Amino acid sequence: MSNNAFLTDWGLTLMVFLPLAGALVMLLVPKEDESLHKGLALLASLLAAGVGIAVFADFDYGATDTLQFVRNDSWIDVINSRYFLGIDGLAVPLIALTLLIVPLCIVYSWNHLPEPRNAKAFLILILVLHTGMLGTFVAQDLILFFVFFEVVLLPMYFLIGVWGGEERQYASIKFFLFTLFGSALMIVSFLALYFVAGGETFAIPELAERIADPAGFGIDSVPLATQVLIFGGMFMGFGIKVPMFPFHTWLPDAHTEAPTVGSVILAAILLKLGTYGFVRVALPILPEAAVEWAPYIGALAVVGIIYGALACLAQTDMKRLIAFSSVSHMGFTMLGIATLTDFGLNAAVMGMVAHGLITGMLFFLAGSVKERYHTLDIKRLGGILVKAPRMGWVLGFTAMASLGLPGLAGFWGEFPAILSTYQPGAGLSEELFRVYMVVAAVGTVFAAGYLLWLYQRTAFGTPTDEFTDDDIADVTVPEWIAWTPMLVLILAIGVYPNLVFRVTDGQLTSVAQMVASAVGG
Protein backbone atom coordinates (compact mmCIF):
# COMPACT_ATOMS: atom_id res chain seq x y z
CA MET A 1 0.00 0.00 0.00
CA SER A 2 1.04 3.63 -0.47
CA ASN A 3 3.50 5.09 2.03
CA ASN A 4 2.89 8.61 0.77
CA ALA A 5 0.02 10.23 2.71
CA PHE A 6 -0.32 13.13 0.26
CA LEU A 7 -0.65 10.81 -2.74
CA THR A 8 -3.11 8.62 -0.85
CA ASP A 9 -5.34 11.60 -0.01
CA TRP A 10 -4.94 13.79 -3.07
CA GLY A 11 -3.17 11.83 -5.83
CA LEU A 12 -6.23 10.62 -7.73
CA THR A 13 -8.13 13.89 -7.26
CA LEU A 14 -5.22 15.92 -8.63
CA MET A 15 -4.74 13.54 -11.54
CA VAL A 16 -8.41 13.73 -12.50
CA PHE A 17 -9.01 17.46 -12.09
CA LEU A 18 -5.72 19.02 -13.27
CA PRO A 19 -6.91 18.92 -16.93
CA LEU A 20 -10.16 20.64 -15.90
CA ALA A 21 -8.15 23.26 -13.99
CA GLY A 22 -6.11 23.82 -17.13
CA ALA A 23 -9.31 24.31 -19.12
CA LEU A 24 -10.52 26.91 -16.61
CA VAL A 25 -7.23 28.83 -16.93
CA MET A 26 -7.56 28.74 -20.73
CA LEU A 27 -10.98 30.40 -20.45
CA LEU A 28 -9.19 33.51 -19.21
CA VAL A 29 -6.82 33.69 -22.19
CA PRO A 30 -7.94 35.43 -25.43
CA LYS A 31 -8.62 32.93 -28.20
CA GLU A 32 -6.27 34.78 -30.56
CA ASP A 33 -3.24 33.59 -28.57
CA GLU A 34 -3.18 30.15 -30.18
CA SER A 35 0.34 29.17 -29.12
CA LEU A 36 -0.38 29.93 -25.45
CA HIS A 37 -3.51 27.78 -25.56
CA LYS A 38 -1.57 24.88 -27.03
CA GLY A 39 1.10 25.25 -24.37
CA LEU A 40 -1.40 25.45 -21.51
CA ALA A 41 -3.33 22.40 -22.75
CA LEU A 42 -0.15 20.37 -23.11
CA LEU A 43 1.08 21.51 -19.68
CA ALA A 44 -2.21 20.52 -17.99
CA SER A 45 -2.17 17.08 -19.59
CA LEU A 46 1.50 16.54 -18.71
CA LEU A 47 0.93 17.61 -15.09
CA ALA A 48 -1.89 15.04 -14.85
CA ALA A 49 0.46 12.45 -16.37
CA GLY A 50 3.16 13.40 -13.86
CA VAL A 51 0.81 12.87 -10.93
CA GLY A 52 -0.28 9.59 -12.53
CA ILE A 53 3.32 8.42 -12.79
CA ALA A 54 3.86 9.25 -9.11
CA VAL A 55 0.75 7.24 -8.21
CA PHE A 56 1.89 4.27 -10.32
CA ALA A 57 5.34 4.41 -8.77
CA ASP A 58 3.78 4.19 -5.30
CA PHE A 59 1.23 1.54 -6.29
CA ASP A 60 1.61 -1.86 -4.60
CA TYR A 61 1.83 -4.29 -7.51
CA GLY A 62 1.78 -7.20 -5.09
CA ALA A 63 -1.80 -6.37 -4.13
CA THR A 64 -3.45 -5.47 -7.43
CA ASP A 65 -6.75 -6.97 -6.26
CA THR A 66 -7.02 -4.38 -3.48
CA LEU A 67 -8.31 -0.83 -3.86
CA GLN A 68 -5.46 1.61 -3.29
CA PHE A 69 -5.23 5.41 -2.95
CA VAL A 70 -8.77 5.34 -1.60
CA ARG A 71 -10.56 8.63 -0.96
CA ASN A 72 -14.03 8.16 0.53
CA ASP A 73 -15.66 11.43 1.61
CA SER A 74 -19.16 12.76 2.05
CA TRP A 75 -20.64 14.12 -1.19
CA ILE A 76 -24.44 13.97 -1.72
CA ASP A 77 -25.69 12.85 1.67
CA VAL A 78 -29.38 13.00 0.79
CA ILE A 79 -28.97 10.00 -1.53
CA ASN A 80 -26.01 8.41 0.29
CA SER A 81 -23.68 9.01 -2.63
CA ARG A 82 -20.04 9.57 -1.70
CA TYR A 83 -16.89 10.96 -3.29
CA PHE A 84 -15.33 7.49 -3.42
CA LEU A 85 -12.16 7.08 -5.49
CA GLY A 86 -9.73 4.18 -5.71
CA ILE A 87 -7.70 2.16 -8.21
CA ASP A 88 -6.67 -1.45 -8.57
CA GLY A 89 -5.07 -3.65 -11.22
CA LEU A 90 -8.04 -3.25 -13.57
CA ALA A 91 -7.91 0.55 -13.62
CA VAL A 92 -4.12 1.07 -13.83
CA PRO A 93 -3.50 0.14 -17.52
CA LEU A 94 -6.56 2.09 -18.71
CA ILE A 95 -5.57 5.17 -16.72
CA ALA A 96 -2.04 4.88 -18.11
CA LEU A 97 -3.46 4.65 -21.66
CA THR A 98 -5.54 7.79 -21.07
CA LEU A 99 -2.62 9.74 -19.59
CA LEU A 100 -0.55 8.80 -22.65
CA ILE A 101 -3.04 9.35 -25.48
CA VAL A 102 -4.34 12.82 -24.57
CA PRO A 103 -0.94 14.61 -24.48
CA LEU A 104 -0.02 12.90 -27.76
CA CYS A 105 -3.26 14.18 -29.31
CA ILE A 106 -2.44 17.71 -28.17
CA VAL A 107 1.06 17.43 -29.66
CA TYR A 108 -0.40 16.16 -32.93
CA SER A 109 -2.82 19.11 -32.99
CA TRP A 110 0.12 21.54 -32.89
CA ASN A 111 0.14 21.78 -36.68
CA HIS A 112 -2.98 19.74 -37.49
CA LEU A 113 -5.69 21.97 -36.02
CA PRO A 114 -8.90 21.26 -37.97
CA GLU A 115 -11.11 23.93 -39.47
CA PRO A 116 -12.63 26.21 -38.25
CA ARG A 117 -9.54 26.18 -36.00
CA ASN A 118 -10.23 28.03 -32.68
CA ALA A 119 -7.53 26.29 -30.64
CA LYS A 120 -9.03 27.63 -27.40
CA ALA A 121 -12.39 25.87 -27.68
CA PHE A 122 -10.94 22.76 -29.33
CA LEU A 123 -8.31 22.14 -26.64
CA ILE A 124 -10.62 23.03 -23.75
CA LEU A 125 -13.02 20.33 -24.93
CA ILE A 126 -10.17 17.81 -25.06
CA LEU A 127 -9.16 18.66 -21.48
CA VAL A 128 -12.76 18.28 -20.25
CA LEU A 129 -12.83 14.91 -22.01
CA HIS A 130 -9.58 14.05 -20.23
CA THR A 131 -11.12 14.69 -16.81
CA GLY A 132 -14.25 12.68 -17.65
CA MET A 133 -12.30 9.67 -18.86
CA LEU A 134 -9.90 9.62 -15.90
CA GLY A 135 -12.75 10.11 -13.44
CA THR A 136 -14.65 7.14 -14.84
CA PHE A 137 -11.67 4.84 -14.28
CA VAL A 138 -11.17 5.90 -10.64
CA ALA A 139 -14.79 6.27 -9.45
CA GLN A 140 -16.00 3.64 -6.97
CA ASP A 141 -19.47 5.14 -6.40
CA LEU A 142 -22.17 4.53 -9.03
CA ILE A 143 -23.44 8.13 -9.08
CA LEU A 144 -19.89 9.50 -9.31
CA PHE A 145 -19.16 6.91 -12.02
CA PHE A 146 -22.25 8.02 -13.93
CA VAL A 147 -21.33 11.71 -13.68
CA PHE A 148 -17.86 11.15 -15.10
CA PHE A 149 -19.24 8.69 -17.67
CA GLU A 150 -21.60 11.42 -18.93
CA VAL A 151 -19.06 14.28 -18.78
CA VAL A 152 -17.43 12.91 -21.94
CA LEU A 153 -20.66 13.09 -23.94
CA LEU A 154 -20.96 16.83 -24.64
CA PRO A 155 -17.27 17.52 -25.46
CA MET A 156 -17.24 14.72 -28.02
CA TYR A 157 -20.58 15.92 -29.44
CA PHE A 158 -19.09 19.37 -30.03
CA LEU A 159 -15.77 18.04 -31.35
CA ILE A 160 -17.65 16.08 -34.02
CA GLY A 161 -20.38 18.67 -34.65
CA VAL A 162 -18.08 21.72 -35.01
CA TRP A 163 -14.73 20.35 -36.26
CA GLY A 164 -16.00 17.29 -38.16
CA GLY A 165 -16.52 16.52 -41.83
CA GLU A 166 -19.37 17.34 -44.21
CA GLU A 167 -21.92 15.14 -42.43
CA ARG A 168 -20.77 16.22 -38.96
CA GLN A 169 -24.17 17.39 -37.70
CA TYR A 170 -25.86 14.10 -38.52
CA ALA A 171 -23.00 12.08 -37.01
CA SER A 172 -22.83 14.15 -33.82
CA ILE A 173 -26.58 14.00 -33.17
CA LYS A 174 -26.62 10.26 -33.83
CA PHE A 175 -23.71 9.75 -31.42
CA PHE A 176 -25.42 11.88 -28.78
CA LEU A 177 -28.84 10.21 -29.03
CA PHE A 178 -27.50 6.65 -29.01
CA THR A 179 -25.26 7.16 -26.00
CA LEU A 180 -27.84 9.23 -24.13
CA PHE A 181 -30.43 6.48 -24.56
CA GLY A 182 -27.98 3.92 -23.19
CA SER A 183 -27.13 6.21 -20.29
CA ALA A 184 -30.80 6.59 -19.38
CA LEU A 185 -31.16 2.82 -19.07
CA MET A 186 -27.91 2.65 -17.14
CA ILE A 187 -28.93 5.20 -14.48
CA VAL A 188 -32.27 3.40 -14.03
CA SER A 189 -30.30 0.19 -13.41
CA PHE A 190 -28.07 1.97 -10.89
CA LEU A 191 -31.09 3.29 -9.01
CA ALA A 192 -32.65 -0.18 -9.03
CA LEU A 193 -29.44 -1.61 -7.55
CA TYR A 194 -29.51 1.03 -4.84
CA PHE A 195 -33.05 0.18 -3.75
CA VAL A 196 -32.82 -3.63 -3.95
CA ALA A 197 -29.61 -3.49 -1.88
CA GLY A 198 -31.31 -1.65 0.97
CA GLY A 199 -31.27 1.97 -0.23
CA GLU A 200 -28.16 2.86 1.79
CA THR A 201 -25.19 3.06 -0.58
CA PHE A 202 -24.04 3.51 -4.16
CA ALA A 203 -20.52 2.21 -3.39
CA ILE A 204 -19.61 -0.46 -5.94
CA PRO A 205 -17.67 -2.76 -3.54
CA GLU A 206 -20.41 -2.59 -0.89
CA LEU A 207 -23.22 -3.23 -3.38
CA ALA A 208 -21.41 -6.37 -4.51
CA GLU A 209 -21.17 -7.54 -0.89
CA ARG A 210 -24.81 -6.74 -0.12
CA ILE A 211 -26.22 -8.66 -3.08
CA ALA A 212 -23.86 -11.60 -2.51
CA ASP A 213 -24.75 -11.81 1.21
CA PRO A 214 -28.11 -10.05 1.75
CA ALA A 215 -28.74 -11.67 5.15
CA GLY A 216 -25.55 -10.16 6.52
CA PHE A 217 -26.96 -6.68 5.80
CA GLY A 218 -30.50 -7.36 6.94
CA ILE A 219 -32.07 -7.19 3.46
CA ASP A 220 -34.02 -9.67 1.37
CA SER A 221 -32.31 -11.76 -1.28
CA VAL A 222 -32.67 -10.19 -4.73
CA PRO A 223 -34.58 -12.57 -7.05
CA LEU A 224 -32.58 -13.77 -10.04
CA ALA A 225 -35.20 -12.39 -12.45
CA THR A 226 -34.72 -8.92 -10.94
CA GLN A 227 -30.94 -9.20 -11.22
CA VAL A 228 -31.24 -10.27 -14.86
CA LEU A 229 -33.47 -7.28 -15.62
CA ILE A 230 -31.11 -4.82 -13.91
CA PHE A 231 -28.14 -6.35 -15.72
CA GLY A 232 -30.04 -5.87 -18.98
CA GLY A 233 -30.24 -2.12 -18.41
CA MET A 234 -26.50 -1.95 -17.76
CA PHE A 235 -25.90 -4.19 -20.78
CA MET A 236 -27.65 -1.63 -22.99
CA GLY A 237 -25.83 1.33 -21.45
CA PHE A 238 -22.38 -0.21 -21.64
CA GLY A 239 -23.06 -2.14 -24.86
CA ILE A 240 -23.96 1.02 -26.79
CA LYS A 241 -20.77 2.67 -25.57
CA VAL A 242 -18.55 -0.28 -26.65
CA PRO A 243 -20.37 -0.41 -29.17
CA MET A 244 -21.61 -3.98 -29.56
CA PHE A 245 -23.53 -5.23 -32.57
CA PRO A 246 -26.35 -4.24 -33.21
CA PHE A 247 -25.87 -0.98 -31.24
CA HIS A 248 -22.81 -0.07 -33.31
CA THR A 249 -24.37 2.03 -36.06
CA TRP A 250 -23.40 5.38 -34.52
CA LEU A 251 -19.70 4.50 -34.52
CA PRO A 252 -18.75 4.48 -38.24
CA ASP A 253 -20.48 7.83 -38.79
CA ALA A 254 -18.89 9.37 -35.69
CA HIS A 255 -15.41 8.14 -36.60
CA THR A 256 -15.70 9.14 -40.24
CA GLU A 257 -16.84 12.69 -39.52
CA ALA A 258 -14.80 13.38 -36.35
CA PRO A 259 -11.56 15.38 -36.54
CA THR A 260 -8.43 13.22 -36.34
CA VAL A 261 -7.76 13.56 -32.61
CA GLY A 262 -11.46 13.10 -31.92
CA SER A 263 -11.33 9.75 -33.71
CA VAL A 264 -8.14 8.82 -31.84
CA ILE A 265 -9.63 9.58 -28.41
CA LEU A 266 -12.91 7.89 -29.33
CA ALA A 267 -11.16 4.69 -30.46
CA ALA A 268 -8.38 4.63 -27.88
CA ILE A 269 -10.31 5.47 -24.72
CA LEU A 270 -14.01 6.29 -25.02
CA LEU A 271 -15.01 2.88 -26.33
CA LYS A 272 -13.20 1.32 -23.36
CA LEU A 273 -15.56 3.04 -20.93
CA GLY A 274 -18.21 0.53 -21.99
CA THR A 275 -16.09 -2.60 -21.64
CA TYR A 276 -14.62 -1.26 -18.39
CA GLY A 277 -18.15 -0.75 -17.05
CA PHE A 278 -18.96 -4.41 -17.64
CA VAL A 279 -15.92 -5.59 -15.68
CA ARG A 280 -15.98 -2.92 -12.95
CA VAL A 281 -19.72 -2.70 -12.28
CA ALA A 282 -21.88 -5.37 -13.91
CA LEU A 283 -19.92 -8.58 -13.25
CA PRO A 284 -18.92 -8.05 -9.57
CA ILE A 285 -22.33 -6.74 -8.45
CA LEU A 286 -24.57 -9.10 -10.45
CA PRO A 287 -22.53 -12.29 -11.07
CA GLU A 288 -25.56 -14.61 -11.32
CA ALA A 289 -27.20 -12.37 -13.89
CA ALA A 290 -23.88 -12.22 -15.77
CA VAL A 291 -24.01 -16.01 -16.17
CA GLU A 292 -27.53 -15.73 -17.59
CA TRP A 293 -26.53 -12.99 -20.03
CA ALA A 294 -23.10 -14.37 -21.01
CA PRO A 295 -24.26 -16.66 -23.88
CA TYR A 296 -26.10 -13.75 -25.50
CA ILE A 297 -23.15 -11.40 -25.02
CA GLY A 298 -20.88 -14.02 -26.58
CA ALA A 299 -23.24 -14.49 -29.51
CA LEU A 300 -23.43 -10.74 -30.22
CA ALA A 301 -19.65 -10.51 -29.86
CA VAL A 302 -18.93 -13.11 -32.55
CA VAL A 303 -21.61 -11.65 -34.85
CA GLY A 304 -19.88 -8.29 -34.40
CA ILE A 305 -16.48 -9.83 -35.21
CA ILE A 306 -17.71 -11.27 -38.52
CA TYR A 307 -20.05 -8.41 -39.41
CA GLY A 308 -17.40 -5.77 -38.72
CA ALA A 309 -14.84 -7.62 -40.83
CA LEU A 310 -17.22 -8.09 -43.76
CA ALA A 311 -18.24 -4.44 -43.55
CA CYS A 312 -14.55 -3.49 -43.74
CA LEU A 313 -14.19 -5.44 -46.98
CA ALA A 314 -17.01 -3.36 -48.48
CA GLN A 315 -15.62 0.08 -47.58
CA THR A 316 -14.13 2.55 -50.05
CA ASP A 317 -13.11 5.15 -47.42
CA MET A 318 -9.96 4.48 -45.37
CA LYS A 319 -11.27 6.05 -42.18
CA ARG A 320 -14.63 4.28 -42.40
CA LEU A 321 -12.82 0.97 -42.87
CA ILE A 322 -10.81 1.57 -39.69
CA ALA A 323 -14.05 2.49 -37.89
CA PHE A 324 -15.71 -0.81 -38.82
CA SER A 325 -12.55 -2.64 -37.76
CA SER A 326 -13.23 -1.29 -34.24
CA VAL A 327 -16.59 -3.06 -34.23
CA SER A 328 -14.79 -6.31 -35.06
CA HIS A 329 -11.92 -5.84 -32.61
CA MET A 330 -14.17 -4.84 -29.71
CA GLY A 331 -16.06 -8.05 -30.41
CA PHE A 332 -12.97 -9.97 -29.28
CA THR A 333 -12.91 -7.95 -26.06
CA MET A 334 -16.58 -8.67 -25.36
CA LEU A 335 -16.05 -12.35 -26.16
CA GLY A 336 -13.34 -12.52 -23.49
CA ILE A 337 -15.67 -10.85 -20.99
CA ALA A 338 -18.47 -13.29 -21.87
CA THR A 339 -16.37 -16.29 -20.80
CA LEU A 340 -16.45 -14.99 -17.17
CA THR A 341 -13.02 -16.53 -16.52
CA ASP A 342 -9.84 -14.87 -15.27
CA PHE A 343 -8.14 -15.85 -18.55
CA GLY A 344 -10.91 -14.30 -20.64
CA LEU A 345 -11.12 -11.13 -18.56
CA ASN A 346 -7.34 -10.65 -18.77
CA ALA A 347 -7.58 -11.14 -22.54
CA ALA A 348 -10.36 -8.55 -22.66
CA VAL A 349 -8.38 -5.87 -20.80
CA MET A 350 -5.33 -6.60 -22.94
CA GLY A 351 -7.60 -6.21 -25.96
CA MET A 352 -8.71 -2.80 -24.68
CA VAL A 353 -5.13 -1.59 -24.33
CA ALA A 354 -3.94 -3.09 -27.63
CA HIS A 355 -6.92 -1.75 -29.56
CA GLY A 356 -6.44 1.68 -28.01
CA LEU A 357 -2.84 1.90 -29.15
CA ILE A 358 -3.23 0.28 -32.58
CA THR A 359 -6.53 1.73 -33.79
CA GLY A 360 -5.63 5.11 -32.31
CA MET A 361 -2.45 4.95 -34.37
CA LEU A 362 -4.41 4.00 -37.50
CA PHE A 363 -6.65 7.05 -37.07
CA PHE A 364 -3.60 9.28 -36.63
CA LEU A 365 -2.30 7.91 -39.94
CA ALA A 366 -5.65 8.37 -41.66
CA GLY A 367 -5.72 12.01 -40.54
CA SER A 368 -2.23 12.65 -41.89
CA VAL A 369 -3.08 10.95 -45.20
CA LYS A 370 -6.22 13.08 -45.50
CA GLU A 371 -4.23 16.25 -44.83
CA ARG A 372 -1.73 15.42 -47.58
CA TYR A 373 -3.97 13.86 -50.23
CA HIS A 374 -7.23 15.70 -49.38
CA THR A 375 -9.06 12.41 -49.75
CA LEU A 376 -9.43 9.05 -48.02
CA ASP A 377 -10.97 7.33 -51.03
CA ILE A 378 -8.93 4.12 -51.18
CA LYS A 379 -9.00 3.83 -54.98
CA ARG A 380 -7.54 7.34 -55.32
CA LEU A 381 -4.68 6.61 -52.93
CA GLY A 382 -1.64 4.54 -53.79
CA GLY A 383 2.12 4.62 -53.75
CA ILE A 384 2.44 6.05 -50.23
CA LEU A 385 5.66 4.06 -49.93
CA VAL A 386 6.93 6.00 -52.95
CA LYS A 387 5.72 9.47 -51.98
CA ALA A 388 6.12 9.25 -48.18
CA PRO A 389 8.09 6.07 -47.42
CA ARG A 390 8.33 6.56 -43.64
CA MET A 391 4.59 7.02 -43.36
CA GLY A 392 4.10 3.95 -45.56
CA TRP A 393 6.24 1.80 -43.27
CA VAL A 394 4.47 3.08 -40.16
CA LEU A 395 1.13 2.24 -41.79
CA GLY A 396 2.40 -1.25 -42.61
CA PHE A 397 3.64 -1.83 -39.05
CA THR A 398 0.33 -0.70 -37.57
CA ALA A 399 -1.74 -2.74 -40.02
CA MET A 400 0.25 -5.87 -39.11
CA ALA A 401 -0.34 -5.16 -35.43
CA SER A 402 -4.06 -4.71 -36.05
CA LEU A 403 -4.42 -8.04 -37.86
CA GLY A 404 -2.84 -9.81 -34.87
CA LEU A 405 0.70 -10.56 -36.04
CA PRO A 406 2.58 -12.44 -33.26
CA GLY A 407 5.16 -10.22 -31.58
CA LEU A 408 2.91 -7.16 -31.67
CA ALA A 409 0.24 -6.08 -29.19
CA GLY A 410 -2.73 -7.00 -31.37
CA PHE A 411 -1.90 -10.70 -31.10
CA TRP A 412 -2.39 -10.63 -27.32
CA GLY A 413 -5.69 -8.84 -27.75
CA GLU A 414 -7.16 -11.53 -30.01
CA PHE A 415 -5.53 -14.94 -29.52
CA PRO A 416 -6.13 -15.25 -25.73
CA ALA A 417 -9.74 -14.07 -26.17
CA ILE A 418 -10.32 -16.85 -28.69
CA LEU A 419 -8.50 -19.41 -26.55
CA SER A 420 -10.49 -18.47 -23.43
CA THR A 421 -13.73 -19.61 -25.07
CA TYR A 422 -12.51 -23.23 -25.13
CA GLN A 423 -13.23 -23.51 -21.41
CA PRO A 424 -15.76 -20.87 -20.28
CA GLY A 425 -16.72 -20.20 -16.68
CA ALA A 426 -18.99 -22.23 -14.41
CA GLY A 427 -22.60 -22.39 -15.55
CA LEU A 428 -21.80 -21.79 -19.24
CA SER A 429 -22.08 -24.27 -22.11
CA GLU A 430 -18.68 -25.47 -23.32
CA GLU A 431 -20.15 -26.63 -26.64
CA LEU A 432 -21.71 -23.24 -27.36
CA PHE A 433 -18.59 -21.29 -26.51
CA ARG A 434 -16.43 -23.59 -28.62
CA VAL A 435 -18.68 -22.74 -31.56
CA TYR A 436 -18.00 -19.09 -30.73
CA MET A 437 -14.28 -19.90 -30.73
CA VAL A 438 -14.41 -21.26 -34.28
CA VAL A 439 -16.43 -18.30 -35.56
CA ALA A 440 -14.06 -15.81 -33.89
CA ALA A 441 -11.05 -17.59 -35.38
CA VAL A 442 -12.58 -17.17 -38.85
CA GLY A 443 -12.87 -13.47 -38.04
CA THR A 444 -9.09 -13.19 -37.75
CA VAL A 445 -8.77 -14.44 -41.33
CA PHE A 446 -11.15 -11.74 -42.53
CA ALA A 447 -9.15 -9.18 -40.52
CA ALA A 448 -6.00 -10.16 -42.35
CA GLY A 449 -7.92 -9.85 -45.60
CA TYR A 450 -9.25 -6.32 -45.17
CA LEU A 451 -6.08 -4.91 -43.59
CA LEU A 452 -3.74 -6.36 -46.20
CA TRP A 453 -6.15 -5.19 -48.93
CA LEU A 454 -6.11 -1.69 -47.44
CA TYR A 455 -2.33 -1.64 -47.22
CA GLN A 456 -1.86 -2.97 -50.73
CA ARG A 457 -4.22 -0.40 -52.26
CA THR A 458 -2.85 2.62 -50.39
CA ALA A 459 0.88 1.97 -49.94
CA PHE A 460 2.02 -0.26 -52.79
CA GLY A 461 2.30 0.48 -56.48
CA THR A 462 2.71 3.92 -57.98
CA PRO A 463 0.79 7.09 -57.09
CA THR A 464 -2.40 7.66 -59.06
CA ASP A 465 -2.25 10.17 -61.91
CA GLU A 466 -3.71 13.04 -59.88
CA PHE A 467 -0.86 12.83 -57.34
CA THR A 468 2.04 11.87 -59.64
CA ASP A 469 3.48 15.38 -59.75
CA ASP A 470 2.50 16.42 -56.21
CA ASP A 471 5.13 16.81 -53.52
CA ILE A 472 3.75 14.75 -50.58
CA ALA A 473 5.44 15.53 -47.25
CA ASP A 474 6.70 12.60 -45.17
CA VAL A 475 6.28 12.28 -41.39
CA THR A 476 6.85 15.60 -39.60
CA VAL A 477 8.46 16.18 -36.20
CA PRO A 478 5.16 16.66 -34.26
CA GLU A 479 3.86 13.47 -35.87
CA TRP A 480 6.96 11.54 -34.80
CA ILE A 481 6.60 12.87 -31.25
CA ALA A 482 2.92 11.84 -31.16
CA TRP A 483 3.40 8.44 -32.79
CA THR A 484 6.68 7.08 -31.43
CA PRO A 485 5.45 6.24 -27.88
CA MET A 486 2.49 4.34 -29.33
CA LEU A 487 4.63 2.43 -31.82
CA VAL A 488 7.13 1.52 -29.10
CA LEU A 489 4.37 0.28 -26.80
CA ILE A 490 2.76 -1.79 -29.56
CA LEU A 491 6.06 -3.60 -29.97
CA ALA A 492 6.93 -3.76 -26.25
CA ILE A 493 3.57 -5.24 -25.23
CA GLY A 494 3.75 -7.66 -28.15
CA VAL A 495 7.14 -8.94 -27.02
CA TYR A 496 6.42 -8.79 -23.27
CA PRO A 497 2.65 -8.97 -22.62
CA ASN A 498 3.23 -9.25 -18.87
CA LEU A 499 3.56 -5.46 -18.90
CA VAL A 500 -0.24 -5.61 -18.79
CA PHE A 501 -1.08 -9.11 -17.57
CA ARG A 502 0.90 -8.90 -14.33
CA VAL A 503 -0.97 -5.73 -13.38
CA THR A 504 -4.48 -6.90 -14.24
CA ASP A 505 -4.39 -10.56 -13.22
CA GLY A 506 -4.95 -10.17 -9.46
CA GLN A 507 -8.12 -8.08 -9.68
CA LEU A 508 -9.58 -9.97 -12.64
CA THR A 509 -9.00 -13.31 -10.92
CA SER A 510 -11.00 -11.93 -7.97
CA VAL A 511 -13.85 -10.90 -10.27
CA ALA A 512 -13.88 -14.34 -11.93
CA GLN A 513 -13.90 -16.05 -8.53
CA MET A 514 -16.86 -13.91 -7.43
CA VAL A 515 -18.81 -15.02 -10.48
CA ALA A 516 -17.83 -18.69 -10.00
CA SER A 517 -18.74 -18.70 -6.31
CA ALA A 518 -22.12 -17.10 -7.05
CA VAL A 519 -23.08 -20.06 -9.26
CA GLY A 520 -21.37 -22.68 -7.13
CA GLY A 521 -18.45 -23.20 -9.53
Side-chain angles (χ1 to χ4, degrees):
M1 304 299 289
S2 172
N3 295 316
N4 189 316
F6 179 80
L7 280 178
T8 299
D9 291 339
W10 293 101
L12 298 185
T13 299
L14 278 174
M15 182 183 73
V16 169
F17 289 105
L18 273 171
L20 186 60
L24 293 175
V25 171
M26 290 171 64
L27 287 173
L28 305 176
V29 178
K31 71 175 184 179
E32 291 76 20
D33 200 341
E34 191 172 287
S35 297
L36 182 56
H37 281 295
K38 292 174 181 176
L40 286 171
L42 183 59
L43 177 63
S45 65
L46 290 176
L47 287 174
V51 175
I53 290 170
V55 168
F56 296 153
D58 208 37
F59 187 80
D60 182 0
Y61 293 94
T64 57
D65 59 340
T66 304
L67 277 181
Q68 301 180 38
F69 300 94
V70 172
R71 186 73 187 261
N72 192 353
D73 295 326
S74 175
W75 185 38
I76 311 177
D77 291 335
V78 69
I79 59 171
N80 299 317
S81 181
R82 299 183 64 79
Y83 181 73
F84 186 5
L85 309 181
I87 60 171
D88 53 22
L90 168 59
V92 165
L94 297 171
I95 293 170
L97 182 67
T98 308
L99 292 172
L100 172 72
I101 293 295
V102 174
L104 298 185
C105 285
I106 294 171
V107 169
Y108 182 86
S109 299
W110 219 265
N111 59 356
H112 295 85
L113 202 63
E115 294 296 333
R117 299 190 69 84
N118 192 343
K120 177 178 181 177
F122 185 77
L123 295 171
I124 284 175
L125 290 173
I126 289 178
L127 291 179
V128 175
L129 265 175
H130 199 10
T131 286
M133 294 182 297
L134 289 171
T136 304
F137 292 135
V138 303
Q140 297 295 329
D141 178 278
L142 287 181
I143 298 299
L144 189 62
F145 177 93
F146 181 79
V147 169
F148 283 124
F149 195 88
E150 291 305 291
V151 160
V152 303
L153 187 57
L154 276 175
M156 184 54 69
Y157 168 78
F158 285 115
L159 283 175
I160 298 171
V162 176
W163 288 273
E166 294 181 0
E167 299 294 325
R168 58 186 178 273
Q169 293 181 352
Y170 169 77
S172 60
I173 291 172
K174 190 174 183 180
F175 160 78
F176 190 88
L177 291 178
F178 263 77
T179 50
L180 192 65
F181 176 74
S183 298
L185 292 173
M186 187 172 69
I187 191 62
V188 169
S189 297
F190 288 175
L191 292 172
L193 276 176
Y194 173 74
F195 287 114
V196 301
E200 296 179 2
T201 182
F202 280 102
I204 296 170
E206 189 172 338
L207 285 170
E209 292 177 17
R210 284 171 171 263
I211 292 178
D213 181 23
F217 292 90
I219 60 174
D220 295 329
S221 179
V222 183
L224 179 58
T226 302
Q227 294 188 43
V228 169
L229 190 61
I230 295 172
F231 192 101
M234 288 194 283
F235 168 76
M236 288 292 290
F238 296 139
I240 289 172
K241 200 77 164 185
V242 169
M244 290 187 70
F245 177 91
F247 315 123
H248 67 284
T249 56
W250 64 266
L251 182 70
D253 293 315
H255 267 317
T256 304
E257 301 304 326
T260 298
V261 297
S263 292
V264 173
I265 292 173
L266 186 60
I269 307 162
L270 284 192
L271 305 189
K272 312 308 178 291
L273 301 186
T275 47
Y276 175 81
F278 275 106
V279 184
R280 170 64 70 202
V281 180
L283 301 192
I285 297 179
L286 298 170
E288 292 178 84
V291 174
E292 298 294 319
W293 274 94
Y296 305 103
I297 295 173
L300 292 176
V302 295
V303 170
I305 290 169
I306 299 299
Y307 169 82
L310 292 176
C312 286
L313 290 168
Q315 299 309 310
T316 59
D317 182 277
M318 181 179 179
K319 201 173 183 186
R320 198 168 180 86
L321 185 151
I322 299 167
F324 271 106
S325 78
S326 283
V327 176
S328 185
H329 286 122
M330 294 309 290
F332 287 101
T333 296
M334 289 308 304
L335 184 60
I337 291 172
T339 66
L340 304 180
T341 61
D342 56 344
F343 189 52
L345 293 175
N346 271 293
V349 177
M350 173 62 87
M352 297 181 212
V353 174
H355 176 267
L357 292 169
I358 296 167
T359 306
M361 190 64 231
L362 284 171
F363 278 117
F364 268 142
L365 286 160
S368 292
V369 169
K370 176 71 177 289
E371 184 187 55
R372 289 158 169 79
Y373 287 85
H374 307 291
T375 183
L376 286 172
D377 189 345
I378 295 172
K379 68 177 181 290
R380 292 175 60 191
L381 300 173
I384 291 178
L385 283 167
V386 175
K387 286 288 189 178
R390 293 181 182 85
M391 184 177 293
W393 283 110
V394 172
L395 176 61
F397 176 86
T398 313
M400 295 304 149
S402 186
L403 64 82
L405 187 72
L408 299 176
F411 175 79
W412 298 108
E414 293 182 3
F415 175 71
I418 296 171
L419 190 59
S420 68
T421 56
Y422 186 79
Q423 192 169 357
L428 301 179
S429 167
E430 286 189 359
E431 293 78 11
L432 179 63
F433 273 80
R434 287 174 185 178
V435 171
Y436 294 163
M437 178 179 71
V438 174
V439 176
V442 172
T444 64
V445 179
F446 286 133
Y450 66 73
L451 285 161
L452 292 174
W453 175 79
L454 170 69
Y455 190 54
Q456 178 194 5
R457 296 283 299 275
T458 57
F460 288 176
T462 56
T464 55
D465 292 342
E466 63 180 304
F467 300 112
T468 301
D469 299 325
D470 291 351
D471 185 20
I472 304 296
D474 213 333
V475 184
T476 62
V477 172
E479 288 170 338
W480 276 128
I481 295 172
W483 298 352
T484 300
M486 298 173 71
L487 296 172
V488 169
L489 278 172
I490 290 169
L491 179 61
I493 293 173
V495 173
Y496 188 66
N498 272 348
L499 283 173
V500 177
F501 286 142
R502 74 181 183 89
V503 178
T504 61
D505 185 56
Q507 171 61 17
L508 297 177
T509 299
S510 295
V511 172
Q513 287 172 349
M514 291 171 67
V515 176
S517 63
V519 295

